Amino acid sequence: LVALGYGAIVEKSLVRDLDAEAPTFDFANFTKYLERGVAPFIVGLIAGFAVVPVIWGLMFIGFLAIVASHGATWALVLAISLTVLAAVATALFLMLVMLPFTLQASLLGSIGEAFDFRWAFDFIKRVGCRAVFSFVVLQLAAIPLMLAGLCAFYVGMFLTISIIGFMQWHMQIQLYHLYLDRGGTPLAIADEPM
């Protein structure tokens, strides 16, 4: 929750100026970060629960395909490959659907305002393809960073997780700026005293 709250504050500073330096993490603002992280967490949780049946359905279909292969190697490989491809496609779809809601929660700081479906559909329509591409690039960049963190006796993972978090916050705000450049409706983001 604290990381989400700090991320929301970083994103708000990036909305004003993409070249701005991130605000310094200050333990004196710990409760502010905690409070600020509740809305993005709850919205992500609700959106996550909404997609659980989809994931279970894919797992069930994959299980049935594996059972139906009757031990034939080619059929088993095909069933597992199709299940993995379906899982990747589902993850990309879920990221695309959840992004506008979590972005609204992060920037507006409100759970109720985060579920503006009209804004979310407009966001997806204007920058959806770029969002999927950006997510794929982010994940491909994260893999070597995570491996480097593992090579540093696991302690490096904490650093790489922070770097990936900043990369994700920048990506989301760059998508928001692209959305605005393409004629999207700006969110009513209030200034936040620190």
Side-chain angles (χ1 to χ4, degrees):
L1 286 176
V2 173
L4 287 173
Y6 175 66
I9 291 168
V10 169
E11 286 181 335
K12 282 180 103 171
S13 73
L14 291 172
V15 165
R16 288 188 288 278
D17 179 13
L18 265 177
D19 295 325
E21 287 191 27
T24 305
F25 184 88
D26 186 4
F27 278 103
N29 294 324
F30 186 84
T31 55
K32 181 70 173 172
Y33 299 145
L34 188 62
E35 176 187 323
R36 205 51 192 86
V38 170
F41 176 77
I42 297 293
V43 168
L45 194 64
I46 292 169
F49 280 140
V51 299
V52 165
V54 173
I55 295 170
W56 283 352
L58 280 174
M59 289 172 49
F60 184 71
I61 291 169
F63 174 74
L64 288 179
I66 290 170
V67 169
S69 70
H70 299 294
T73 305
W74 69 269
L76 187 62
V77 168
L78 180 65
I80 291 173
S81 299
L82 290 176
T83 302
V84 168
L85 285 175
V88 169
T90 303
L92 290 173
F93 175 74
L94 297 179
M95 179 282 314
L96 182 62
V97 169
M98 290 175 62
L99 175 63
F101 297 112
T102 55
L103 185 62
Q104 288 179 88
S106 183
L107 293 176
L108 300 174
S110 168
I111 296 169
E113 292 179 65
F115 290 104
D116 181 352
F117 286 91
R118 182 178 298 135
W119 189 90
F121 289 133
D122 189 46
F123 183 86
I124 291 169
K125 183 177 75 173
R126 293 179 193 272
V127 296
C129 291
R130 181 65 62 94
V132 170
F133 176 75
S134 299
F135 182 74
V136 169
V137 169
L138 178 69
Q139 296 307 312
L140 291 175
I143 292 170
L145 284 173
M146 296 298 266
L147 290 175
L150 283 172
C151 291
F153 304 109
Y154 197 76
V155 177
M157 291 288 288
F158 299 111
L159 175 64
T160 57
I161 289 170
S162 300
I163 292 169
I164 293 167
F166 276 99
M167 289 167 56
Q168 182 174 350
W169 297 331
H170 271 273
M171 177 196 75
Q172 290 176 348
I173 298 306
Q174 288 174 12
L175 287 170
Y176 177 69
H177 279 282
L178 180 63
Y179 167 74
L180 295 178
D181 290 344
R182 292 183 175 175
T185 308
L187 294 172
I189 303 168
D191 284 333
E192 200 167 329
M194 282 305 284

Coordinates of all heavy atoms in Angstrom, one line a residue, residues 11-51:
E11 N 3.3 9.6 -9.9 CA 2.5 9.8 -11.2 C 1.9 11.2 -11.3 O 1.9 11.8 -12.4 CB 1.4 8.7 -11.2 CG 1.9 7.4 -11.6 CD 0.9 6.3 -11.7 OE1 -0.2 6.4 -11.1 OE2 1.1 5.3 -12.4
K12 N 1.4 11.7 -10.2 CA 0.8 13.1 -10.2 C 1.9 14.1 -10.6 O 1.6 15.0 -11.3 CB 0.2 13.4 -8.9 CG -1.2 12.7 -8.7 CD -1.8 13.1 -7.4 CE -2.9 14.1 -7.6 NZ -3.7 14.4 -6.4
S13 N 3.1 13.9 -10.1 CA 4.1 14.9 -10.4 C 4.5 14.7 -11.9 O 4.9 15.7 -12.5 CB 5.4 14.7 -9.5 OG 6.1 13.5 -9.8
L14 N 4.5 13.5 -12.4 CA 4.8 13.3 -13.8 C 3.7 13.8 -14.8 O 4.0 14.2 -15.9 CB 5.0 11.8 -14.1 CG 6.3 11.2 -13.5 CD1 6.3 9.7 -13.7 CD2 7.5 11.8 -14.1
V15 N 2.4 13.9 -14.3 CA 1.4 14.4 -15.1 C 1.6 15.9 -15.4 O 1.5 16.4 -16.5 CB 0.0 14.2 -14.4 CG1 -1.1 15.1 -15.0 CG2 -0.4 12.8 -14.5
R16 N 2.1 16.6 -14.3 CA 2.4 18.0 -14.5 C 3.7 18.2 -15.4 O 3.7 19.2 -16.2 CB 2.7 18.7 -13.1 CG 1.4 18.8 -12.3 CD 1.6 19.6 -11.1 NE 2.3 18.9 -10.0 CZ 1.8 18.0 -9.2 NH1 0.5 17.7 -9.2 NH2 2.5 17.4 -8.3
D17 N 4.7 17.4 -15.2 CA 5.9 17.5 -16.0 C 6.6 16.2 -16.1 O 7.1 15.6 -15.2 CB 6.9 18.5 -15.3 CG 8.2 18.7 -16.0 OD1 8.3 18.3 -17.1 OD2 9.1 19.3 -15.4
L18 N 6.6 15.6 -17.4 CA 7.2 14.3 -17.6 C 8.7 14.2 -17.3 O 9.2 13.2 -17.0 CB 7.0 13.9 -19.1 CG 5.7 13.1 -19.4 CD1 5.6 12.8 -20.8 CD2 5.8 11.8 -18.6
D19 N 9.3 15.4 -17.3 CA 10.8 15.4 -17.1 C 11.1 15.7 -15.6 O 12.3 15.8 -15.3 CB 11.5 16.5 -18.0 CG 11.3 16.1 -19.4 OD1 11.4 14.9 -19.8 OD2 11.2 17.0 -20.3
A20 N 10.1 15.8 -14.8 CA 10.3 16.1 -13.4 C 11.0 14.9 -12.7 O 10.8 13.8 -13.0 CB 9.0 16.4 -12.7
E21 N 11.8 15.3 -11.7 CA 12.4 14.2 -10.8 C 11.3 13.7 -9.9 O 10.4 14.5 -9.5 CB 13.5 14.8 -10.1 CG 14.8 15.0 -10.9 CD 16.0 15.3 -10.1 OE1 16.1 14.8 -9.0 OE2 16.9 16.0 -10.6
A22 N 11.4 12.5 -9.5 CA 10.4 11.9 -8.6 C 10.6 12.6 -7.2 O 11.7 12.9 -6.8 CB 10.6 10.4 -8.5
P23 N 9.5 12.8 -6.6 CA 9.6 13.3 -5.2 C 10.3 12.4 -4.3 O 10.2 11.1 -4.5 CB 8.1 13.4 -4.7 CG 7.3 13.3 -6.0 CD 8.1 12.6 -7.0
T24 N 11.1 12.9 -3.4 CA 11.9 12.0 -2.5 C 11.0 11.3 -1.6 O 10.0 11.8 -1.0 CB 12.9 12.9 -1.7 OG1 13.6 13.7 -2.6 CG2 13.8 12.0 -0.9
F25 N 11.2 10.0 -1.4 CA 10.5 9.2 -0.5 C 10.9 9.6 0.9 O 12.0 9.6 1.3 CB 10.7 7.7 -0.6 CG 9.9 6.8 0.2 CD1 8.7 6.4 -0.2 CD2 10.4 6.4 1.5 CE1 7.9 5.6 0.6 CE2 9.6 5.6 2.3 CZ 8.4 5.2 1.9
D26 N 9.9 10.1 1.7 CA 10.2 10.6 3.0 C 9.3 9.8 4.0 O 8.1 9.7 4.0 CB 9.7 12.1 3.1 CG 10.1 12.7 4.4 OD1 10.7 12.1 5.3 OD2 9.8 13.9 4.5
F27 N 10.0 9.2 5.0 CA 9.3 8.4 6.0 C 8.4 9.2 6.9 O 7.5 8.6 7.5 CB 10.3 7.6 6.9 CG 10.8 6.3 6.2 CD1 12.1 6.3 5.6 CD2 10.0 5.2 6.1 CE1 12.5 5.1 5.0 CE2 10.4 4.1 5.5 CZ 11.7 4.0 5.0
A28 N 8.6 10.5 6.9 CA 7.7 11.4 7.6 C 6.3 11.4 7.0 O 5.3 11.6 7.6 CB 8.2 12.8 7.7
N29 N 6.2 11.0 5.7 CA 4.9 11.0 5.0 C 4.4 9.5 4.8 O 3.6 9.2 4.0 CB 5.1 11.5 3.6 CG 5.4 13.0 3.6 OD1 4.9 13.7 4.5 ND2 6.3 13.5 2.7
F30 N 4.9 8.6 5.7 CA 4.5 7.2 5.6 C 3.0 7.0 5.6 O 2.5 6.3 4.8 CB 5.2 6.4 6.7 CG 5.0 5.0 6.7 CD1 5.8 4.2 5.9 CD2 4.0 4.3 7.4 CE1 5.7 2.8 5.8 CE2 3.8 3.0 7.3 CZ 4.6 2.2 6.5
T31 N 2.3 7.7 6.5 CA 0.9 7.5 6.6 C 0.2 8.1 5.4 O -0.9 7.6 5.0 CB 0.3 8.1 7.9 OG1 0.7 9.5 8.0 CG2 0.8 7.3 9.2
K32 N 0.7 9.2 4.9 CA 0.1 9.8 3.7 C 0.2 8.8 2.5 O -0.7 8.6 1.8 CB 0.9 11.1 3.4 CG 0.4 11.8 2.2 CD -1.0 12.4 2.4 CE -1.5 13.2 1.2 NZ -2.8 13.6 1.4
Y33 N 1.4 8.2 2.4 CA 1.6 7.2 1.3 C 0.6 6.0 1.5 O 0.0 5.5 0.6 CB 3.0 6.7 1.3 CG 4.1 7.7 1.0 CD1 5.3 7.6 1.6 CD2 3.9 8.8 0.2 CE1 6.3 8.5 1.4 CE2 4.9 9.7 -0.1 CZ 6.1 9.6 0.5 OH 7.1 10.5 0.3
L34 N 0.5 5.6 2.8 CA -0.4 4.5 3.1 C -1.8 4.8 2.7 O -2.5 4.0 2.1 CB -0.3 4.1 4.6 CG -1.0 2.9 5.1 CD1 -0.4 1.7 4.4 CD2 -0.8 2.8 6.6
E35 N -2.3 6.0 3.1 CA -3.6 6.5 2.8 C -3.8 6.6 1.3 O -4.9 6.2 0.8 CB -3.9 7.8 3.5 CG -5.2 8.4 3.2 CD -5.3 9.8 3.8 OE1 -4.7 10.1 4.9 OE2 -5.9 10.7 3.1
R36 N -2.9 7.1 0.6 CA -2.9 7.4 -0.8 C -3.0 6.1 -1.6 O -3.5 6.0 -2.8 CB -1.7 8.2 -1.2 CG -1.8 9.1 -2.4 CD -3.0 10.0 -2.4 NE -3.1 10.5 -3.7 CZ -3.7 9.9 -4.8 NH1 -4.3 8.8 -4.6 NH2 -3.7 10.5 -5.9
G37 N -2.4 5.0 -1.1 CA -2.3 3.7 -1.8 C -3.6 2.9 -1.7 O -3.7 1.9 -2.4
V38 N -4.5 3.3 -0.8 CA -5.7 2.4 -0.6 C -6.6 2.4 -1.9 O -7.0 1.3 -2.3 CB -6.5 3.0 0.6 CG1 -7.9 2.3 0.7 CG2 -5.8 2.8 1.9
A39 N -6.8 3.5 -2.5 CA -7.7 3.5 -3.7 C -7.2 2.7 -4.8 O -7.9 1.8 -5.3 CB -8.0 5.0 -4.1
P40 N -5.9 2.8 -5.2 CA -5.4 2.0 -6.3 C -5.4 0.5 -5.9 O -5.7 -0.4 -6.8 CB -4.0 2.4 -6.6 CG -3.9 3.8 -5.9 CD -4.9 3.9 -4.9
F41 N -5.2 0.2 -4.6 CA -5.2 -1.2 -4.2 C -6.6 -1.8 -4.3 O -6.7 -2.9 -4.8 CB -4.6 -1.3 -2.8 CG -4.7 -2.7 -2.2 CD1 -3.8 -3.6 -2.6 CD2 -5.7 -3.0 -1.3 CE1 -3.8 -4.9 -2.1 CE2 -5.8 -4.3 -0.8 CZ -4.8 -5.3 -1.2
I42 N -7.6 -1.1 -3.8 CA -8.9 -1.6 -3.8 C -9.5 -1.7 -5.2 O -10.1 -2.7 -5.5 CB -9.9 -0.7 -2.9 CG1 -9.4 -0.7 -1.5 CG2 -11.3 -1.1 -3.1 CD1 -9.6 -2.0 -0.7
V43 N -9.2 -0.8 -6.0 CA -9.6 -0.8 -7.4 C -9.0 -2.0 -8.1 O -9.6 -2.8 -8.9 CB -9.4 0.5 -8.2 CG1 -9.6 0.4 -9.7 CG2 -10.3 1.6 -7.6
G44 N -7.7 -2.2 -7.9 CA -7.0 -3.4 -8.5 C -7.6 -4.7 -8.0 O -7.7 -5.7 -8.7
L45 N -7.9 -4.7 -6.7 CA -8.5 -5.9 -6.1 C -9.9 -6.2 -6.7 O -10.1 -7.4 -7.1 CB -8.6 -5.7 -4.6 CG -8.8 -6.9 -3.7 CD1 -7.7 -7.9 -3.8 CD2 -9.0 -6.5 -2.3
I46 N -10.7 -5.2 -6.8 CA -12.0 -5.4 -7.4 C -11.9 -5.8 -8.9 O -12.6 -6.8 -9.3 CB -12.9 -4.1 -7.3 CG1 -13.2 -3.8 -5.8 CG2 -14.1 -4.2 -8.1 CD1 -13.8 -2.4 -5.6
A47 N -11.1 -5.2 -9.6 CA -10.9 -5.6 -11.0 C -10.3 -7.0 -11.1 O -10.7 -7.8 -12.0 CB -10.0 -4.6 -11.7
G48 N -9.4 -7.3 -10.2 CA -8.8 -8.7 -10.2 C -9.9 -9.7 -9.9 O -9.9 -10.8 -10.6
F49 N -10.8 -9.5 -8.9 CA -11.8 -10.4 -8.6 C -12.8 -10.6 -9.8 O -13.3 -11.7 -10.0 CB -12.6 -10.0 -7.4 CG -11.9 -10.3 -6.1 CD1 -11.9 -9.4 -5.0 CD2 -11.2 -11.5 -5.9 CE1 -11.3 -9.7 -3.9 CE2 -10.6 -11.8 -4.7 CZ -10.6 -10.9 -3.7
A50 N -13.0 -9.5 -10.6 CA -13.9 -9.6 -11.7 C -13.4 -10.5 -12.8 O -14.2 -11.1 -13.6 CB -14.1 -8.2 -12.3
V51 N -12.1 -10.7 -12.9 CA -11.5 -11.5 -13.9 C -11.1 -12.9 -13.5 O -10.7 -13.8 -14.3 CB -10.2 -10.8 -14.6 CG1 -10.6 -9.5 -15.2 CG2 -9.1 -10.7 -13.6

